[in-house]
Amino acid sequence: MTAVVCLPTYNERENLERMVDALADRGVSVLVIDDNSPDGTGEVADRLAAANDHVEVLHRPRKEGLGPAYLAGFERALADPGVELVLEMDADFSHDPADVPRLIAAAAGADLVLGSRYVEGGSIGSWGAVRRFVSSGGSWYARVLLGVGVHDLTGGFKCFRREVLEALDLRAIDSRGYAFQIETTYRALRAGFGIVEVPITFIDREHGSSKMSRSIVLEAIWKVPLLRVRALLGRL
């Protein structure tokens, strides 16, 4: 199946070329979505696109958050009628490029595949106790409030079948941070799509800085109950 990996970037100059190289033999195309990185990531992306037929760049004028970047990437990917699968992953090697074929293979029997840290066989590398608590606690919080069985609702390593993204009302998704991951998965569940979690090992980045912030955490805290209320009112 024809697959596109969406890579949102903001100040990922140290990681991007290595990531594109690592994806070169995975049977996928790469769409870099750069939010006008001040460190020159966009220029690196343009150079890589000029040298590699499987790489494309989408330049955005400013940093607006993970959600808007992915939505722009989805729109660009779906504009190609030959694309059957659309993947999300981080550009900083937190997600192992070697796991991409596993997610693609799992999509043969599922509509949405999640690379999961919190199912049997999944794990997290070098995070400290606080970060582990925020991540695992966030997934537990969302799972309980939304009443779903998905273990890793906050993860950002995903493989969507085209039909899922086409069925969702992407313009109604307004989450900007990691709440975006919760919202897209929940909307897919509500639409009746089948979801499979594939165990992965998540490794903290070696280069660059994390995009996690207090505002991202707070957005997820209030966004999750709002999603539940909207669902109960039939507005999701």
Side-chain angles (χ1 to χ4, degrees), residues 79-192:
D80 182 346
V83 170
E84 299 170 86
L85 301 174
V86 180
L87 289 89
E88 298 180 14
M89 69 182 297
D90 293 344
D92 61 7
F93 286 88
S94 295
H95 303 137
D96 188 347
D99 286 332
V100 167
R102 296 175 56 230
L103 268 65
I104 290 175
D111 301 306
L112 170 57
V113 182
L114 309 180
S116 180
R117 300 160 291 182
Y118 303 125
V119 293
E120 184 177 356
S123 63
I124 296 175
S126 56
W127 273 1
V130 173
R131 185 99 184 262
R132 286 174 183 267
F133 174 78
V134 170
S135 176
S136 61
S139 285
W140 176 85
Y141 172 79
R143 185 167 68 249
V144 171
L145 264 67
L146 298 177
V148 300
V150 176
H151 292 81
D152 197 346
L153 281 164
T154 61
F157 197 9
K158 298 182 175 182
C159 180
F160 293 89
R161 295 187 70 92
R162 179 189 189 94
E163 294 81 2
V164 178
L165 295 177
E166 288 180 332
L168 300 183
D169 184 1
L170 297 179
R171 294 186 178 183
I173 298 175
D174 56 6
S175 301
R176 293 184 174 271
Y178 289 98
F180 173 80
Q181 306 298 3
I182 300 170
E183 183 170 358
T184 51
T185 297
Y186 186 53
R187 284 178 178 270
L189 282 169
R190 294 282 303 174

Side-chain angles (χ1 to χ4, degrees), residues 196-217:
V196 169
E197 293 186 81
V198 173
I200 62 164
T201 297
F202 183 95
I203 304 297
D204 203 11
R205 63 163 64 232
E206 294 182 3
H207 302 286
S209 58
S210 172
K211 309 303 187 295
M212 180 63 73
S213 67
R214 180 176 297 181
S215 63
I216 287 175
V217 174

Side-chain angles (χ1 to χ4, degrees), residues 8 33 35 58 60 64-74:
I33 307 129
D35 279 2
L58 173 59
R60 288 163 38 83
E64 294 181 310
L66 188 72
Y70 268 130
L71 291 174
F74 294 165

